[in-house]
Coordinates of all heavy atoms in Angstrom, one line a residue:
F14 N 0.8 -16.6 16.1 CA 1.7 -16.5 17.3 C 1.5 -17.5 18.2 O 2.1 -17.5 19.3 CB 1.5 -15.1 17.8 CG 1.9 -13.9 16.8 CD1 1.0 -13.4 15.9 CD2 3.3 -13.5 16.8 CE1 1.3 -12.5 15.1 CE2 3.7 -12.6 15.8 CZ 2.7 -12.0 15.0
S15 N 0.8 -18.5 17.9 CA 0.7 -19.6 18.9 C 2.0 -20.4 19.2 O 2.2 -21.1 20.1 CB -0.4 -20.7 18.4 OG 0.0 -21.3 17.2
A16 N 3.0 -20.2 18.3 CA 4.3 -20.9 18.4 C 5.2 -20.1 19.2 O 6.4 -20.5 19.3 CB 4.9 -21.2 17.0
M17 N 4.8 -18.9 19.8 CA 5.7 -18.0 20.5 C 6.3 -18.7 21.7 O 7.6 -18.6 21.9 CB 5.0 -16.7 20.9 CG 4.7 -15.7 19.8 SD 6.2 -15.1 19.0 CE 6.7 -13.9 20.2
P18 N 5.7 -19.5 22.5 CA 6.4 -20.3 23.6 C 7.4 -21.3 23.0 O 8.4 -21.5 23.6 CB 5.2 -21.0 24.3 CG 4.0 -20.3 23.9 CD 4.3 -19.7 22.5
I19 N 7.2 -21.9 21.9 CA 8.2 -22.8 21.3 C 9.3 -21.9 21.0 O 10.6 -22.4 21.0 CB 7.5 -23.5 20.1 CG1 6.4 -24.3 20.5 CG2 8.6 -24.3 19.3 CD1 5.5 -24.8 19.4
L20 N 9.1 -20.8 20.3 CA 10.3 -19.9 19.9 C 11.1 -19.5 21.1 O 12.3 -19.5 21.1 CB 9.7 -18.7 19.2 CG 10.7 -17.6 18.7 CD1 11.7 -18.2 17.7 CD2 10.0 -16.4 18.1
A21 N 10.4 -19.3 22.3 CA 11.1 -19.0 23.6 C 12.0 -20.1 24.0 O 13.2 -19.9 24.3 CB 10.1 -18.7 24.6
D22 N 11.5 -21.4 23.8 CA 12.3 -22.5 24.1 C 13.5 -22.6 23.2 O 14.6 -23.0 23.6 CB 11.4 -23.8 24.0 CG 10.3 -24.0 25.1 OD1 10.4 -23.2 26.1 OD2 9.5 -24.7 24.9
A23 N 13.3 -22.4 21.9 CA 14.4 -22.5 21.0 C 15.5 -21.4 21.3 O 16.7 -21.6 21.1 CB 13.9 -22.3 19.5
L24 N 15.0 -20.2 21.6 CA 15.9 -19.2 21.9 C 16.8 -19.6 23.2 O 18.0 -19.4 23.2 CB 15.3 -17.8 22.2 CG 14.7 -17.2 20.9 CD1 13.6 -16.1 21.3 CD2 15.8 -16.6 20.1
Q25 N 16.1 -20.1 24.2 CA 16.8 -20.5 25.4 C 17.7 -21.7 25.1 O 18.9 -21.6 25.7 CB 15.7 -20.9 26.4 CG 16.4 -21.1 27.8 CD 15.2 -21.2 28.8 OE1 14.2 -21.7 28.7 NE2 15.5 -20.7 30.1
D26 N 17.4 -22.6 24.3 CA 18.2 -23.7 24.0 C 19.5 -23.2 23.1 O 20.6 -23.7 23.3 CB 17.5 -24.7 23.0 CG 16.4 -25.6 23.8 OD1 16.5 -25.6 25.0 OD2 15.7 -26.2 23.2
A27 N 19.3 -22.0 22.4 CA 20.3 -21.4 21.7 C 21.3 -20.5 22.6 O 22.4 -20.0 22.1 CB 19.9 -20.6 20.5
C29 N 20.0 -18.0 24.8 CA 19.5 -16.7 25.2 C 19.0 -16.8 26.6 O 18.4 -17.7 27.0 CB 18.2 -16.4 24.4 SG 17.3 -14.9 24.8
D30 N 19.5 -15.9 27.3 CA 19.1 -15.7 28.8 C 18.5 -14.4 29.2 O 18.4 -14.1 30.3 CB 20.2 -16.0 29.7 CG 21.3 -15.1 29.6 OD1 21.3 -14.1 28.7 OD2 22.5 -15.1 30.2
N31 N 18.1 -13.7 28.1 CA 17.3 -12.4 28.3 C 16.0 -12.6 28.8 O 15.1 -13.0 28.0 CB 17.4 -11.6 27.0 CG 16.9 -10.2 27.2 OD1 15.7 -10.0 27.6 ND2 17.6 -9.2 26.8
I32 N 15.7 -12.3 30.0 CA 14.4 -12.6 30.6 C 13.4 -11.8 30.0 O 12.2 -12.3 29.9 CB 14.4 -12.4 32.2 CG1 13.3 -13.1 32.9 CG2 14.5 -10.9 32.6 CD1 13.4 -14.6 32.9
D33 N 13.6 -10.6 29.5 CA 12.5 -9.8 28.8 C 12.1 -10.5 27.6 O 10.9 -10.5 27.1 CB 13.1 -8.4 28.5 CG 13.3 -7.6 29.8 OD1 12.5 -7.8 30.8 OD2 14.1 -6.8 29.7
I34 N 13.0 -11.0 26.8 CA 12.7 -11.7 25.5 C 12.0 -13.0 25.8 O 11.0 -13.2 25.2 CB 14.0 -12.1 24.7 CG1 14.5 -10.7 24.2 CG2 13.7 -13.0 23.6 CD1 15.9 -10.9 23.4
L35 N 12.5 -13.9 26.8 CA 11.8 -15.1 27.1 C 10.4 -14.9 27.6 O 9.5 -15.6 27.3 CB 12.7 -15.9 28.0 CG 14.1 -16.2 27.4 CD1 14.9 -17.0 28.5 CD2 14.0 -17.1 26.1
D36 N 10.3 -13.9 28.6 CA 9.1 -13.7 29.1 C 7.9 -13.2 28.1 O 6.9 -13.5 28.2 CB 9.1 -12.7 30.3 CG 9.6 -13.3 31.6 OD1 9.8 -14.5 31.7 OD2 9.9 -12.5 32.5
H37 N 8.4 -12.4 27.2 CA 7.5 -11.8 26.1 C 7.1 -13.0 25.3 O 5.9 -13.1 25.0 CB 8.3 -10.8 25.3 CG 7.4 -10.3 24.1 ND1 6.4 -9.4 24.3 CD2 7.4 -10.6 22.9 CE1 5.9 -9.2 23.2 NE2 6.5 -9.9 22.2
C38 N 8.0 -13.8 24.9 CA 7.5 -14.9 24.1 C 6.6 -15.9 24.8 O 5.7 -16.6 24.2 CB 8.7 -15.8 23.5 SG 9.8 -14.9 22.3
R39 N 6.8 -16.2 26.0 CA 5.9 -17.0 26.7 C 4.7 -16.4 27.4 O 3.7 -17.1 27.8 CB 6.7 -17.6 28.0 CG 7.8 -18.6 27.5 CD 8.6 -19.2 28.5 NE 9.6 -20.2 27.9 CZ 10.8 -20.2 28.3 NH1 11.4 -19.3 29.1 NH2 11.7 -21.0 27.7
G40 N 4.6 -15.0 27.2 CA 3.4 -14.3 27.8 C 2.3 -14.5 26.8 O 2.4 -14.9 25.7
S41 N 1.2 -14.0 27.4 CA -0.2 -14.2 26.6 C -0.3 -13.2 25.5 O -1.3 -13.3 24.8 CB -1.3 -14.1 27.5 OG -1.3 -12.9 28.2
G42 N 0.5 -12.2 25.5 CA 0.5 -11.2 24.4 C -0.5 -10.1 24.7 O -0.5 -9.7 26.0
P43 N -1.2 -9.5 23.8 CA -1.3 -10.0 22.6 C -0.1 -9.8 21.7 O 0.6 -8.9 21.8 CB -2.5 -9.2 22.0 CG -2.4 -7.9 22.7 CD -1.8 -8.2 24.1
H44 N 0.1 -10.8 20.8 CA 1.2 -10.7 19.9 C 0.6 -10.3 18.5 O -0.4 -10.7 18.1 CB 1.9 -12.1 19.7 CG 2.5 -12.5 21.0 ND1 3.7 -12.0 21.6 CD2 2.1 -13.5 21.9 CE1 4.0 -12.6 22.7 NE2 3.0 -13.5 22.9
C48 N 6.0 -7.7 16.1 CA 6.4 -8.1 17.4 C 7.9 -7.8 17.5 O 8.7 -8.3 16.7 CB 6.1 -9.5 17.7 SG 7.1 -10.3 19.1
W49 N 8.4 -7.2 18.5 CA 9.8 -6.7 18.6 C 10.7 -7.9 18.6 O 11.9 -7.8 18.1 CB 10.0 -5.8 19.7 CG 9.7 -6.3 21.0 CD1 8.6 -6.4 21.8 CD2 10.8 -6.8 22.0 NE1 8.8 -6.9 23.0 CE2 10.1 -7.3 23.2 CE3 12.1 -7.0 21.8 CZ2 10.8 -7.8 24.2 CZ3 12.9 -7.6 22.9 CH2 12.2 -7.9 24.0
V50 N 10.4 -9.0 19.3 CA 11.2 -10.1 19.5 C 11.5 -10.8 18.0 O 12.5 -11.1 17.6 CB 10.8 -11.2 20.4 CG1 11.5 -12.5 20.3 CG2 10.7 -10.6 21.8

Side-chain angles (χ1 to χ4, degrees):
F14 293 89
S15 62
M17 291 296 283
I19 299 167
L20 183 58
D22 292 344
L24 287 166
Q25 193 168 27
D26 289 347
C29 176
D30 61 358
N31 184 305
I32 197 71
D33 292 329
I34 290 173
L35 298 174
D36 282 352
H37 176 78
C38 290
R39 291 182 175 130
S41 60
H44 298 287
C48 166
W49 65 274
V50 172

